[in-house]
Amino acid sequence: MTAERDFPYAFAAVTQARHYVLDMLNGIGDMVAGDAAVMVSELATNSVRHAATGFTVSVDRTTEQITVAVADPGPGEPRMRAPKPTDGSGRGLRIVNALADEWGVHTNSGPGKSVWFTIANIDERFSKGGNGRGATR
Amino acid sequence: MEQVDGGASAAVAPGVDETGLPIIRIIGELDISNVALIEDQLAALVDDAARPLTFDLSSLTFMDSSGLAMLLRTADQTGPIVIRQPTGTVRRIIQATGLTDVLRVEA
């Protein structure tokens, strides 16, 4: 299943993008949903703060893994930084790097880029988490 | 809970834990859409609160790096903060960002 939606340039669009992804991941288990929610929130926040544009969120869900991408027309490639505790920002991609199985950046020939992440082995996480879906196997 | 223009809803309130020690509860969802509003409400409570400043985050269903930055700005004024009962994802983002000395997570 693949779906995508456009969001406007607004702080509230970050909340709405997160709720959209959670709707698409309905029934998937708390840990996967929670991690996906924080990662999409970080990427959407980057689009709003740094690209200063609207953005598009796509969600691809299979039985094995989910892939979520946030695309915006802003120039430049996002970089992972190492902020000090006193720094007010710069932690978004570090969080994505820690929680995702894989992540990366697609750049287009023109301006704009898409930052994506995957969470893999979703069935396995269900079993380990004691979720009912794993127990029925 | 207050909501900002279609964004996240959250509230902050002083309270006491089961042993009578003062804590601050944040409930709801915290992201870039409402962090300024919640930080204003928090600022009104921080001066009179006990140290170490202790938060109960058991009903904070979502927080990202915008919320982390708010807690770090608060810790800059008060010293290290104690975080009680965070959700798994909140716990993981505190660990992932190397902030466990400043944001001390308790079960």
Side-chain angles (χ1 to χ4, degrees), chain B:
Chain B
M1 288 195 281
E2 284 187 74
Q3 186 181 25
V4 182
D5 295 337
S9 299
V12 53
V16 291
D17 70 9
E18 61 280 4
T19 67
L21 290 172
I23 56 164
I24 295 175
R25 287 194 179 87
I26 307 177
I27 67 171
E29 292 184 291
L30 193 51
D31 67 17
I32 195 171
S33 72
N34 66 342
V35 70
L37 174 73
I38 295 303
E39 191 160 3
D40 280 351
Q41 295 178 3
L42 180 59
L45 301 174
V46 163
D47 284 349
D48 295 332
R51 302 288 188 270
L53 194 63
T54 301
F55 286 90
D56 178 337
L57 298 188
S58 58
S59 296
L60 184 66
T61 56
F62 180 81
M63 181 179 85
D64 60 16
S65 64
S66 296
L68 279 181
M70 180 194 82
L71 293 175
L72 291 172
R73 286 189 292 270
T74 304
D76 206 35
Q77 302 165 35
T78 67
I81 283 173
V82 174
I83 305 287
R84 289 198 185 149
Q85 294 184 280
T87 65
T89 302
V90 168
R91 187 186 302 264
R92 284 193 291 284
I93 67 173
I94 290 172
Q95 289 167 347
T97 49
L99 295 171
T100 50
D101 288 345
V102 184
L103 306 177
R104 298 178 178 169
V105 176
E106 289 181 357

Side-chain angles (χ1 to χ4, degrees), chain A residues 45-107:
Chain A
T45 299
N46 283 349
S47 290
V48 172
R49 283 186 54 158
H50 302 304
T53 64
F55 56 93
T56 302
V57 176
S58 63
V59 181
D60 182 71
R61 178 180 178 177
T62 69
T63 53
E64 293 299 316
Q65 71 170 30
I66 59 167
T67 304
V68 177
V70 177
D72 69 53
E77 187 161 331
R79 285 182 304 117
M80 191 164 67
R81 292 187 277 160
K84 296 188 288 290
T86 49
D87 291 341
S89 63
R91 298 184 178 83
L93 285 180
R94 187 155 293 278
I95 288 170
V96 173
N97 186 61
L99 301 184
D101 284 292
E102 291 185 75
W103 70 278
V105 183
H106 287 305
T107 48

Side-chain angles (χ1 to χ4, degrees), chain A residues 109-125:
Chain A
S109 52
K113 73 280 185 186
S114 171
V115 188
W116 59 270
F117 65 85
T118 63
I119 302 178
N121 301 318
I122 287 170
D123 276 1
E124 191 180 335
R125 285 171 206 245

